[in-house]
Amino acid sequence: MHDERRRIEERVERVHTQRIKPAIYAASVPFEVEAWQAPGEPVPFEEAAAASYTPFAMDTPWGPPWGTTWFRMRGQVPAEWAGRRVEAVIDLGFVGDWPGNQAEALVHLADGTPLKAVNPLNQYVPIGNPVRGGETIDYLVEAASNPDILADNFSKITPMGDILTAGDKPLYTFRRADLAVLDEEVFHLDLDLQVLRELMVHLGEHEPRRHEILHALDRAMDAVDLDDVSGSATAVREILAPVLAKPAHASAHTVSGVGHAHIDSAWLWPIRETKRKTSRTFSNVTALADEYEDFIFACSQAVQYEWVRDNYPQVWERIKKAVDKGQWVPVGGMWVESDGNLPGGEAIARQLVHGKRFFIEHFGIETKGVWLPDSFGYNASYPQLAKLAGNDWFLTQKISWNQTNRFPHHTFWWEGIDGTRIFTHFPPVDTYNARFSGEEMDRAVRNYQEKGGGTRSLAPFGWGDGGGGPTREIMERARRLADLEGSPKVVVEHPDEFFAKARAEYEDAPVWNGELYLELHRATYTSQARTKQGNRRSEHKLREAELWATTAALHAPGYAYPYEKLDRLWKTVLLHQFHDILPGSSIAWVHREAEAEYARVAKELEELTAEAISALGGGDSRVFNTSPRDRAEVVRTSAGAPVYVKVPANGSAPLTATEPPHPVTVSGRVLDNGLVRVEVAEDGTLASVRDLAADREVLGDTGNLLRLHTDLPNYWDAWDVDKHYKNRYTDLLDAESVTVVEEDPLVGAIRVERSFGKGSRITQTITLRAGSPRIDFETDIDWHEAEKFLKAGFPIDVRAPHSSAEIQFGHIQRPTHTNTSWEAARFEVSGHRWVHVAEPGYGVAVINDSTYGHDVSRTVREDGGTTTTVRLSLVRAPRIPDPEADQGKHHITYSLLPGASIADAVAEGYALNLPLRVADAAGAPEPVVSVDGDGVTVEAVKLADDASGDVVVRIYESCGGRAQGVLRTGFPLAGAQITDLLERPLSEAATDGNGVPVTLRPFEVQTLRLAVGER
């Protein structure tokens, strides 16, 4: 047989694209269209309905950046269309090949009922199937003209990322607004051809099936009447039916399709626009559920449900109906799909608590899995936290983006730092916006790394980020691929069903231990420093407010615990932990609003804390310690005078001076407190740090070295820092001044001022206090650089085989060598309050109050000694998507802690982030809880969410070893339970007077619910 593949394939492509697709709509008539441009921000439907509209013609430009244009569309179904399927077809002037991040619209009836959205790949609104003929159609269409921020492949700096700078030039040209007849037979022929053509080209040329499809398509083209496609469509489909009916091989891979619409809660659009995106997509989804009974849609992010409930009640009712029918599936159990590295441990616990409670309260459904396809890596505490929240499975996708190493599993057990394992899947289709294309199905099978062990994988399908979600075309593809020779079998099902089947067939799946580190997007640990600082401060202020509100509720008659306010503030912070807000990868508008929100949160939490302390009664000044460790340190009075005090953990003490063990002396540029001696060089760096207790030099080279790197990643500016950034840099060694600014027996401080680059300035105050070896570097940065990366380095004279960095509820060890490509890829990593490096017998910690990124490297000196260098990432200057990212002022404090154990690092990390508070209060109530026993750390103290008056305490083992102790209460203890994160009982806890004996395995998290007895 002659090889005629090229001729046939080209013939099929032309007839399909040029004749069959245009015939899907058999006839059309235009709407009469009028328009009204809403001034400023979006307006309610009622205001738009009452506005004055003017005639609007097709092919007219419309839509300033971030604007809202309302279109009134009126038309009448022709009488001769009676009995046909009629739809409104609307093309707003869609651009590019990305169905999100551009124009979108929500279509309403004249009475305000939302019908369905219009999106680039979902342009129809059903009118009737069939119509009577003669119906009058009256729509109000709310169209959003959102700019395409990442046009030109992420290569152009744009002012479009903020309404304040975007201008008012129209972005789109309206192309079509018609009533049209859908030719259902041609519609289905189009889908038949799509599925067969795509399957064919992804089969091997040696496969008989490929040639069988090829010649069937050739025969089908012979049957197409080019002058009457509609009339010949049935005959063409009959020719294709036999090749579509051939069943899949018995050993074919199974793809579990789960409807999905990944909607970033903010990213290249502000939060206000996401609220509208959710209404549009959810309208589409509920409409599709009515059309396809086998459709199942999984949706995470409880906050998005809340937005729809509060702003689009009719859509909310449709969602509830779809949930009741089992077609809409809440998943994920988190308030938002948060970043996987940067939120604190308690914050991730609250993400799970608030998300799961929302779904239980509103739908009676407890979600069973964590759904996080798009976060930029996942911390090693997730397995334990997920299980403590009642989850059985974990889903992610983003690790497929690894720059260097291919992740070795798709279905596996993920083991966290405490030993907890959770069944985890990583879809080999390699997208969370699948459409069941031939290429995707081929990739899912080809990628799947569990062949021989497992036989199935999951594919989330639907257009995300405002693209409209799943479509009828995707559902039709799924039906054709349910049992088709040459393709994996597709079944649309609940993700719980997929995970149950996958686990049943592959119980002995491989184990991955530790973090799921993404070898990409490493700059998200640093970008938009003020957003990150707002999160860190908010997390600690929430801890503070809850502790003192609990104290007041137990000890201050008449004080009412602020349940609703704390709930609202937590949800605000959780929202901004979304995986494109906290990582710093959003547009300027998002981060401008985030900074303002964090300022409001801080103000309100300060007020709540002050109210709680005030409720304890006025009196002498006291010092309040919110951290979980006893503290002896210098605090300042309201007048600014330093005082050395001792304060118990989670408690308070009088502001009474205590004699420190050794005064601070200042001699030239040398600070000495009897524990350490710090010598500041003429250029403002550290020439020496001598640990006097250990009698050893801490530094192996110049300390506190500020290094300015050129930083232009290959792609994704705000997200990425590529390894080549290290090759070009400038060390900031020209100090304008090095001045002693405080010389007191309790405090010695030297200020260093520098200017550099494009008008940037750094002012650092290096402080040593009595009684502590911790050296603080209070750093004010006025930043005006572009495409630069600022690091602060401490070369430490220890031979450390690994570094330890604090993560959620514990810490993780990473090798300091680069023996393998996996270690070399971790050239920038994340941590929370501290990084610790040590050799046997001696360690040093670097502590911070607001940054997350760092790197650790090791060199051997000429004297044979080893220097382990810890460098904190302070600030970046990417220009895409926010051209002004990080510009302006920053205030960061970081510290060097010589002679530190892990326990010391934990204590000082809390201390730096939870400064002692001085306030007037009467009496000295006992701390709500205190702990006897090393390693047992109190993370949260609060009243139970059910307003029962019970006290809830979250503890964990923080040093990496087994821990035993007694949790003692400052109130009569009537009983105790161990609970899950949602404060539901797991078991009774033994009590001993006013104490609860606790035993924790390494890094174990435990939640205790304590009943308050009568006094």
Side-chain angles (χ1 to χ4, degrees), residues 381-389 416 418 420 1001 1003-1006:
S381 292
Y382 254 123
Q384 181 179 197
L385 294 176
K387 295 289 281 188
L388 286 173
D418 72 308
T420 299
R1001 66 179 181 270
F1003 300 128
E1004 181 181 1
V1005 177
Q1006 196 172 96

Side-chain angles (χ1 to χ4, degrees), residues 956-975:
Y956 71 105
E957 196 289 313
S958 59
C959 294
R962 291 187 180 273
Q964 290 184 316
V966 178
L967 184 83
R968 304 201 180 276
T969 63
F971 56 86
L973 181 62

Side-chain angles (χ1 to χ4, degrees), residues 122-141:
N122 198 342
Q123 299 180 14
Y124 75 97
V125 180
I127 301 295
N129 184 25
V131 295
R132 298 187 310 275
E135 293 96 329
T136 298
I137 308 301
D138 189 354
Y139 288 156
L140 269 179
V141 179

Side-chain angles (χ1 to χ4, degrees), residues 465-516:
D465 282 335
T471 64
R472 62 186 178 188
E473 289 81 6
I474 300 177
M475 282 300 297
E476 290 293 339
R477 285 172 172 270
R479 287 179 168 182
R480 287 162 174 79
L481 294 171
D483 192 13
L484 182 62
E485 183 186 353
S487 170
K489 293 179 285 189
V490 173
V491 55
V492 177
E493 64 181 348
H494 193 301
D496 285 352
E497 295 181 24
F498 161 77
F499 275 94
K501 294 172 184 176
R503 179 169 174 175
E505 73 172 6
Y506 202 26
E507 185 73 29
D508 61 343
V511 177
W512 180 269
N513 179 268
E515 66 182 329
L516 294 175

Side-chain angles (χ1 to χ4, degrees), residues 919-959:
D920 292 339
E926 289 291 314
V928 176
V929 292
S930 58
V931 177
D932 297 335
D934 295 334
V936 182
T937 299
V938 175
E939 176 62 17
V941 179
K942 59 189 284 294
L943 289 191
D945 291 340
D946 61 6
S948 62
D950 290 350
V951 175
V952 171
V953 181
R954 192 117 51 226
I955 59 175
Y956 71 105
E957 196 289 313
S958 59
C959 294

Side-chain angles (χ1 to χ4, degrees), residues 531-545 569-570 572-574 576-577 594 597-602 605:
T531 297
K532 290 175 170 58
Q533 187 170 66
N535 175 73
R536 179 79 69 85
R537 296 278 67 75
S538 296
E539 288 181 348
H540 288 81
K541 286 183 180 297
L542 280 161
R543 172 196 178 100
E544 193 172 24
L569 290 166
W570 259 115
T572 299
V573 174
L574 298 179
H576 289 85
Q577 290 175 343
E597 281 293 285
Y598 284 131
R600 284 191 285 271
V601 167
L605 286 172

Side-chain angles (χ1 to χ4, degrees), residues 94 98-105 116-124 259-263 276-288 295 297 328 433 461-472 474:
F94 300 116
W98 188 1
N101 192 37
Q102 58 166 294
E104 305 169 51
K116 184 179 171 295
V118 175
N119 310 92
L121 298 175
N122 198 342
Q123 299 180 14
Y124 75 97
H260 184 48
H262 177 82
I263 303 178
R276 301 202 294 176
K277 283 179 180 286
T278 55
S279 70
R280 298 173 197 130
T281 294
F282 294 176
S283 296
N284 287 354
V285 170
T286 52
L288 195 65
F295 173 60
F297 178 74
W328 184 298
N433 297 304
F461 66 87
W463 305 111
D465 282 335
T471 64
R472 62 186 178 188
I474 300 177

